[in-house]
Amino acid sequence: PSSPVLAKCGERHLNRDPDRDTSIGSDLEDLDDGDVDGGHFDADTVFPGMKWQGSHFVRAWGVLSTFLTDLSKEAICTGIRVQTTEDESRPAHKGRRDLLLELMLDRVPGDVSFLTRRFHDVVMVLGVHQALPSVTEADLWELLASLLLRAVFMCDVRRGSQDPKPYCEKILNHKVGVAAKQMGLSASELAQLEELVPSQPDGGAFSVAVGAAH
């Protein structure tokens, strides 16, 4: 059966105003305030601090490392779909997973909505054994989603399951660059985060002239 979060995401893409859609010459799509306000602040689901006070790079590196388990890397690289019931026996994990799905899928641009199903499958196996960042850390969530979504696209293209789409690749690179800039990350810090994320079928990391991404 289709995921309620996936169905909700699909409905939003169908009802999206094309004048507000993601484009290369514009900023990233506006976040829906209704999706990032109260109601999600469960101590067992999100990071208990209301605002991260340390290094943004360290924060992003730590969360991304937690997400990228061996299974999630395999899902990104190979396109496998994993049926797991682990969350069903762990209420805290299920709560994190549901929130993670909503926060991630809501950040898929309309121009690459064809990746939504694949992205959903990847998010379903991201590591949730640690509390999630607060939903108020919008810039962090934007960066995490952008890095992972781009990795899904690049792996699919390189293993032949997706046709090359230069325009979509440009959009995804743009989103990563803007998100990194919003986080105040340097080119070298972004490069280190990209090294964590596989974007080739053999598990190789993403390689790009990161200076141009900004």
Side-chain angles (χ1 to χ4, degrees), residues 149-209:
L149 185 62
R150 182 178 65 177
V152 167
F153 175 74
M154 297 306 295
C155 279
D156 285 359
V157 169
R158 288 167 179 168
R159 65 188 175 87
S161 67
Q162 185 69 244
D163 292 332
K165 295 180 175 64
Y167 175 70
C168 294
E169 183 176 348
K170 191 174 183 180
I171 286 175
L172 293 169
N173 285 336
H174 174 74
K175 282 181 67 66
V176 169
V178 172
K181 185 176 180 180
Q182 290 294 106
M183 288 279 292
L185 302 180
S186 67
S188 63
E189 288 173 335
L190 176 57
Q192 290 180 70
L193 294 177
E194 289 172 332
E195 288 175 359
L196 292 176
V197 186
S199 60
Q200 300 185 47
D202 62 0
F206 190 82
S207 176
V208 69

Side-chain angles (χ1 to χ4, degrees), residues 25-64:
S26 65
D27 292 333
L28 299 178
E29 61 187 6
D30 293 336
L31 295 178
D32 183 350
D33 291 338
D35 289 330
V36 294
D37 57 8
H40 294 307
F41 291 97
D42 187 319
D44 290 330
T45 302
V46 300
F47 184 78
M50 294 296 290
K51 184 177 179 63
W52 176 257
Q53 300 294 335
S55 162
H56 290 166
F57 166 70
V58 170
R59 178 66 163 151
W61 193 94
V63 176
L64 195 57

Side-chain angles (χ1 to χ4, degrees), residues 97-125:
R97 181 80 60 199
D98 291 345
L99 178 58
L100 185 61
L101 280 166
E102 181 169 353
L103 292 173
M104 287 292 195
L105 296 185
D106 200 40
R107 286 172 163 81
V108 177
D111 285 316
V112 294
S113 59
F114 59 89
L115 292 173
T116 301
R117 167 59 69 179
R118 263 281 282 137
F119 196 41
H120 173 275
D121 293 343
V122 168
V123 175
M124 282 296 295
V125 292

